Amino acid sequence: MLAALAGLSACGGGGTDLVETRSSAANWSWSLPSYFPEPKVPADNPMSAEKVELGRFLFYDRRLSGNGQQACAGCHRQDLAFTDGLAQAIGSTGEVHPRGAQHLVNVVYNATLTWANPSLVTLERQMETPLFGERPIEMGVNDANKEVVLQRLRDDTSASSYPQRFSAAFPAEAQPISWGNVIKAISAFQRTLISGNSRYDQWLAGRTTLSDAELRGMKLFFGEKAECFHCHGSFNFNDQIVHAGSRIVETPFSNTGLYNIGGTGAFPEPNRGVFELTARAQDMGKFRAPSLRNVEVTAPYMHDGTITTLEDVLRFYAAGGRNIPAGPNAGDGRANPYKSDLVSLIDLSDQEQADIVSFLKTLTDHDFLTNPRHADPFAAN
Ligand code: HEC
Ligand code: HEC
């Protein structure tokens, strides 16, 4: 794997940041590194510059929540790779979500969405949860205020001027301001959140060097001793990828040994992973491996934010899981019967753990975190 990825450096271009451009729609093109496949876009929601820009306004607009208090961006902040820095997210009415807000780095390539839901496969469908979900309430849009929220957009004559923006994005429609189109526009915006210009990518392109510690960490990461690459080894540093040319899409979920309540293998409710949907014992504690791109800024870690630092994540993997000696979740996760075989005691010295952390920090893409095209359009005005 290391050799395969390192070999890609030969394809790197010259001085430009993103080395290849491909188009999938008449008036849209992607700027991607050569080793990123073309993103998959649903046939009924083609990309356009107007739609993406409308989606950006909506993503950052608090008026889109029932009580006008929270935007998508309230839980998905650009400077934090579109997560929020909290262990568990807090919704527009103050309700605490059982899980942490996910980063949205390269979300277009995720074969399934959210921490542990094999059946959620499009951004359009996923968005119904933050918009309309009631357990917990996130944006708090419901039958009583659905029309009120749309009317706010219809009445808008300020900088965002939604009536014109919706007409430009959906030119064939007489009444384009609808929930269906809100969802399409935000999805199109999210598909543009592509990160491929970290120091690691620049190194692959032959445009920068990495330190000895970073190179040692990379070798460990992609090697059989630390085994990280089995679940985080794709170009996106995860193991669930879908793209325009996908034929077979694999959607693994893994139990990494975070819990083992009372020695039964159980994880705390309602965070039992895929088990919450299937109630099958073998799905206990199984979650989707997150992309590790920009992981330096996405703390705290894991679905419930219970690991604070990258150093602690490495200690956790080196131990082959987490032992919780006391309290309601007491139990030795290292011995969880449903844990993946790929997570086990690793003989990793402190130096080796530190090297892997150094490597992970090369995945930070400062352009992505500050790109004006992903930024809050209201702040700019
Ligand atoms: C209250 C905070 C909050 C708000 C507001 C919010 N989200 Fe999220 N988001 C989360 C949490 C928490 C998750 C993980 C959900 C889970 O696993 O159950 C998530 C997951 C996601 C994912 C899945 C990412 C992945 O890698 O699979 C997407 C996409 C997303 N949110 C988009 C949005 C959009 C679009 C909006 C606005 C319409 C929004 N979110 C509003 C907290 C929030
Ligand atoms: C068996 C598959 C598997 C292996 C092997 C694996 N991981 Fe993970 N990783 C996961 C899963 C699944 C999660 C999410 C777990 C959760 O949230 O409960 C995760 C989460 C993480 C996170 C937290 C990311 C975030 O945004 O919260 C980091 C960092 C990480 N892994 C790094 C590593 C490193 C470094 C290694 C090698 C030492 C490694 N992983 C090995 C599957 C794996």
Side-chain angles (χ1 to χ4, degrees):
M1 177 59 74
L2 175 61
L5 275 177
L8 290 168
S9 62
C11 324
T16 52
D17 286 337
L18 296 165
V19 295
E20 199 173 313
T21 305
R22 271 160 282 173
S23 45
S24 59
N27 62 348
W28 180 258
S29 62
W30 303 97
S31 301
L32 306 168
S34 57
Y35 42 92
F36 277 35
E38 183 182 330
K40 182 175 175 179
V41 175
D44 65 353
N45 191 17
M47 300 295 289
S48 77
E50 293 79 10
K51 204 187 279 178
V52 168
E53 187 63 358
L54 168 63
R56 180 166 75 116
F57 274 91
L58 293 167
F59 185 88
Y60 281 96
D61 201 331
R62 289 197 196 95
R63 286 173 292 181
L64 205 60
S65 58
N67 64 8
Q69 297 296 306
Q70 190 170 44
C72 306
C75 294
H76 297 288
R77 279 172 46 183
Q78 182 183 16
D79 60 326
L80 299 179
F82 295 95
T83 176
D84 62 358
L86 302 174
Q88 293 169 250
I90 302 173
S92 57
T93 59
E95 262 189 82
V96 179
H97 198 292
R99 289 173 291 282
Q102 289 173 297
H103 69 64
L104 302 179
V105 178
N106 298 332
V107 72
V108 65
Y109 293 112
N110 285 347
T112 69
L113 294 157
T114 72
W115 284 106
N117 188 343
S119 63
L120 204 49
V121 301
T122 68
L123 288 167
E124 285 80 358
R125 281 301 306 280
Q126 190 281 328
M127 211 180 308
E128 294 169 11
T129 301
L131 284 173
F132 310 124
E134 305 208 309
R135 285 184 310 149
I137 293 175
E138 296 181 62
M139 304 287 282
V141 178
N142 54 38
D143 285 344
N145 62 30
K146 252 179 166 168
E147 269 307 305
V148 179
V149 174
L150 287 185
Q151 198 57 43
R152 287 179 199 151
L153 306 182
R154 293 190 185 112
D155 292 343
D156 178 63
T157 51
S158 68
S160 45
S161 58
Y162 282 117
Q164 285 96 308
R165 287 185 186 281
F166 272 90
S167 295
F170 301 97
E173 298 181 31
Q175 306 288 342
I177 301 189
S178 64
W179 279 107
N181 286 345
V182 165
I183 288 173
K184 283 182 172 173
I186 298 179
S187 298
F189 169 66
Q190 292 187 110
R191 293 193 168 98
T192 70
L193 301 177
I194 291 180
S195 171
N197 194 26
S198 64
R199 280 185 56 234
Y200 167 76
D201 297 291
Q202 293 170 12
W203 175 80
L204 282 181
R207 282 184 276 123
T208 192
T209 52
L210 297 182
S211 72
D212 290 346
E214 289 162 347
L215 291 169
R216 285 194 306 268
M218 177 164 63
K219 212 165 176 174
L220 285 161
F221 186 92
F222 286 114
E224 293 294 344
K225 183 171 169 187
E227 315 247 45
C228 314
F229 75 94
H230 289 291
C231 307
H232 299 284
S234 73
F235 70 92
N236 197 28
F237 289 83
N238 61 354
D239 58 358
Q240 285 201 14
I241 295 284
V242 69
H243 58 83
S246 293
R247 301 179 66 159
I248 300 165
V249 179
E250 287 177 35
T251 58
F253 292 84
S254 307
N255 177 326
T256 58
L258 277 173
Y259 296 95
N260 184 9
I261 301 174
T264 62
F267 273 48
E269 276 188 70
N271 286 335
R272 295 172 298 179
V274 177
F275 179 89
E276 296 288 349
L277 297 169
T278 65
R280 293 189 310 190
Q282 68 265 35
D283 291 331
M284 178 60 78
K286 283 194 177 168
F287 291 87
R288 195 192 72 195
S291 164
L292 300 182
R293 287 185 171 272
N294 299 287
V295 71
E296 181 179 11
V297 302
T298 65
Y301 301 106
M302 306 308 190
H303 65 273
D304 56 2
T306 51
I307 301 191
T308 312
T309 66
L310 284 176
E311 287 75 12
D312 290 338
V313 172
L314 263 296
R315 256 189 293 279
F316 158 80
Y317 278 114
R322 177 170 67 183
N323 181 27
I324 301 178
N329 294 329
D332 191 349
R334 296 170 300 183
N336 190 306
Y338 307 113
K339 192 179 70 166
S340 164
D341 293 342
L342 297 165
V343 178
S344 55
L345 185 68
I346 320 171
D347 176 26
L348 278 183
S349 68
D350 289 351
Q351 181 63 53
E352 288 173 318
Q353 293 181 33
D355 289 345
I356 295 178
V357 171
S358 299
F359 169 63
L360 292 177
K361 290 182 179 173
T362 69
L363 302 178
T364 306
D365 177 350
H366 293 284
D367 284 352
F368 176 75
L369 302 174
T370 58
N371 187 338
R373 285 194 302 271
H374 305 158
D376 182 352
F378 299 102
N381 282 313

